[in-house]
Amino acid sequence: MPDIRKSISPNKEFDKNKLKERLTPTQYQVTQEHQTEKQFSNKYYKHREAGVYKCIVCGIDQFSSQTKYNSGSGWPSFYDVMDKQNIRCRKDASGVGGNLLRIIADPSLIRTEVSCKECGSHLGHVFEDGPKPTGQRYCVNSASLDFKADEVQGGDQDEPLLSCPATLGGCGGVDGVCQRVSKMTINKEQSVV
């Protein structure tokens, strides 16, 4: 029988006191306490430079600017990760406080949390309303990321930005309350901004 603790434990563990010294308060709260940063005003939401987004805690490559797109959610969105072996996904009902009646009434309120497999840091959530080819939206906190510009392009080149509006809701700002998007007409055609 497999050891369940080993399968969910991060590969590296960092001293919490040293992390508090190294990270900003927001970075610590997001990565270690599973908080959500403020939407629309975070560092990488409108960032379009070519390069790689790394885990702020351990430095492992997580997302490429080539898969970043505008979901309108207020957080950086990517339709794929660089290597699925570098992330861990788990069901997360924290957005509704584990309220079983709300979950029974609307099972879509259970989100899928994405964390760094290397160090266990909370990155964000993944939803199934992203663009092709994956159909996924990795809705990630800027505070969980560090960016390394593409050396070939010198970071001067902006990536073309795909636009695909989020339709399944997600985290509702600083308090992290799960919200559904109100009914609206969505143009299913993807566009480049």
Side-chain angles (χ1 to χ4, degrees):
M1 176 177 264
D3 182 357
I4 192 163
R5 287 170 295 171
K6 187 174 184 181
S7 67
I8 61 173
S9 296
N11 296 333
K12 286 184 187 173
E13 296 211 16
F14 290 84
D15 181 86
K16 299 291 185 185
N17 290 325
K18 288 182 181 175
L19 282 178
K20 282 183 180 179
E21 291 173 13
R22 181 165 63 97
L23 302 175
T24 68
T26 301
Q27 289 170 332
Y28 185 85
Q29 290 167 349
V30 166
T31 61
Q32 305 305 302
E33 299 175 350
H34 303 258
Q35 299 293 315
T36 301
E37 69 190 350
K38 188 174 181 181
Q39 67 192 116
F40 297 109
S41 62
N42 54 71
K43 185 174 183 178
Y44 297 124
Y45 171 55
K46 291 190 176 185
H47 189 253
R48 291 179 58 183
E49 203 173 339
V52 174
Y53 295 87
K54 302 171 162 289
C55 173
I56 192 75
V57 173
C58 69
I60 197 168
D61 294 352
Q62 292 292 2
F63 301 96
S64 167
S65 60
Q66 294 177 344
T67 63
K68 190 171 189 293
Y69 74 99
N70 178 17
S71 69
S73 68
W75 290 280
S77 295
F78 304 86
Y79 62 79
D80 208 355
V81 294
M82 291 188 70
D83 184 348
K84 291 200 184 337
Q85 297 298 312
N86 291 344
I87 64 164
R88 179 170 285 121
C89 294
R90 72 172 185 89
K91 295 298 181 190
D92 173 20
S94 65
V96 292
N99 184 328
L100 291 177
L101 293 178
R102 284 188 68 197
I103 293 169
I104 290 168
D106 188 357
S108 70
L109 292 174
I110 297 177
R111 305 174 292 180
T112 302
E113 179 191 13
V114 178
S115 60
C116 177
K117 190 171 185 178
E118 186 68 13
C119 67
S121 293
H122 173 72
L123 300 173
H125 292 87
V126 63
F127 301 92
E128 295 180 5
D129 62 353
K132 293 177 183 175
T134 65
Q136 295 183 316
R137 170 173 51 107
Y138 289 87
C139 188
V140 182
N141 291 284
S142 287
S144 69
L145 301 173
D146 191 18
F147 180 76
K148 181 165 178 15
D150 187 341
E151 292 177 17
V152 174
Q153 296 180 2
D156 295 335
Q157 185 71 28
D158 281 352
E159 288 283 352
L161 190 62
L162 178 69
S163 184
C164 181
T167 59
L168 294 179
C171 302
V174 179
D175 59 3
V177 176
C178 214
Q179 294 180 343
R180 298 278 298 164
V181 174
S182 58
K183 290 188 179 183
M184 62 177 122
T185 304
I186 301 285
N187 181 356
K188 288 288 185 182
E189 293 181 29
Q190 298 173 7
S191 62
V192 175
V193 178

